[in-house]
Amino acid sequence: MLAIAFPAQAFATNCYVIAPGEGEECLIVDPGIGVEDTVAEVLAQYRLKPAAVLLTHGHLDHVYAVAPVCGGNTAAYIHGDDRYRLQDPLALVNPGMLAMMEQQFGQRATWREPDRVVEVTDRQHLTLAGLEVDVLHAPGHTEGSVMFGLEGIPAGVEAGEELTRTMVSGDVLFAGSIGRTDLPGGSADLMTRSLREVVLPLRDDTLVLTGHGPATTMRRERATNPYLQGL
């Protein structure tokens, strides 16, 4: 499996391009702020064709470039509980933060909803770009936060930990931390339940590709993440 990761220009949001291999169809996960050119470069370098854009949740820093990346043909996949966020995520951002972001980039923020949106559900199994993708609903950061699971691990990943599966966790689980729950639509109680019932059951041999920061493994997080202790 080919997996290319790169940060967005704001909030260090990780965007991923995942494919069975070079010259194949691919999945683009969480196209954040200012990633359009990098996505285009990755697609050209590896001769990839987008089959779908997967959104772990609807926060602006994870979806800002979804319409230009999708174009008119590629569908964006998001959980139904976060579907409303694609109508206008700019309206859900703190005005002060939005003004700061606009000042940083020197232009007014704009939004266009993607032409094609597909709502996913918990435990749904998707076959996209020649990859088998499992959807795990894990609310708490937002109502419709999900993780996307794939069999296998990206080429080039150190094999010392005998990893066999990949989970794209969005802002549910980070290396040593979790997503915040104090934003609109967040819930500490739901996050605790998601960590206990969705995250902890994941196998230790799972590679975790996070929404921000470095990748990690379930073995490492189960042993060291303070938010998982005692659950």
Side-chain angles (χ1 to χ4, degrees):
M1 183 168 62
L2 175 70
I4 308 299
F6 47 90
Q9 293 182 10
F11 304 104
T13 306
N14 290 327
C15 179
Y16 298 97
V17 177
I18 303 174
E22 296 188 30
E24 304 278 357
E25 289 189 319
C26 69
L27 305 175
I28 301 169
V29 186
D30 287 356
I33 297 168
V35 302
E36 297 94 323
D37 290 346
T38 306
V39 168
E41 291 169 4
V42 169
L43 297 184
Q45 179 179 352
Y46 295 97
R47 298 173 289 108
L48 302 173
K49 179 181 178 181
V53 174
L54 305 184
L55 305 174
T56 60
H57 61 291
H59 278 161
L60 184 70
D61 61 319
H62 289 253
V63 306
Y64 188 72
V66 64
V69 167
C70 282
N73 299 317
T74 306
Y77 289 69
I78 192 168
H79 190 275
D81 289 349
D82 263 21
R83 173 65 179 87
Y84 77 96
R85 294 178 180 274
L86 293 186
Q87 295 173 4
D88 186 6
L90 292 173
L92 303 174
V93 176
N94 178 281
M97 180 176 291
L98 184 61
M100 184 173 62
M101 187 182 77
E102 290 177 335
Q103 184 178 26
Q104 177 184 351
F105 289 98
Q107 61 185 27
R108 183 175 178 80
T110 60
W111 174 255
R112 179 169 65 86
E113 193 170 355
D115 294 334
R116 297 177 57 207
V117 178
V118 177
E119 296 184 15
V120 298
T121 59
D122 185 34
R123 308 291 167 170
Q124 185 173 358
H125 183 79
L126 306 171
T127 301
L128 298 167
L131 297 167
E132 304 299 318
V133 182
D134 292 317
V135 180
L136 297 180
H137 185 210
H141 182 63
T142 68
E143 309 94 321
S145 289
V146 299
M147 303 190 296
F148 295 108
L150 303 98
E151 289 298 327
I153 60 171
V157 171
E158 292 285 341
E161 295 189 74
E162 298 181 351
L163 302 172
T164 65
R165 184 167 172 78
T166 300
M167 186 65 63
V168 184
S169 66
D171 285 4
V172 177
L173 181 67
F174 303 137
S177 188
I178 60 171
R180 58 191 294 182
T181 60
D182 59 338
L183 299 173
S187 167
D189 289 342
L190 284 178
M191 177 63 87
T192 298
R193 189 176 74 182
S194 292
L195 295 175
R196 183 176 60 246
E197 298 180 3
V198 182
V199 173
L200 276 177
L202 297 176
R203 301 194 315 241
D204 280 351
D205 60 358
T206 301
L207 172 70
V208 182
L209 302 180
T210 62
H212 301 267
T216 185
T217 69
M218 271 307 301
R219 180 179 288 106
R220 188 177 307 142
E221 295 312 302
R222 195 186 313 280
T224 63
N225 192 315
Y227 294 93
L228 299 182
Q229 306 304 307
L231 295 180

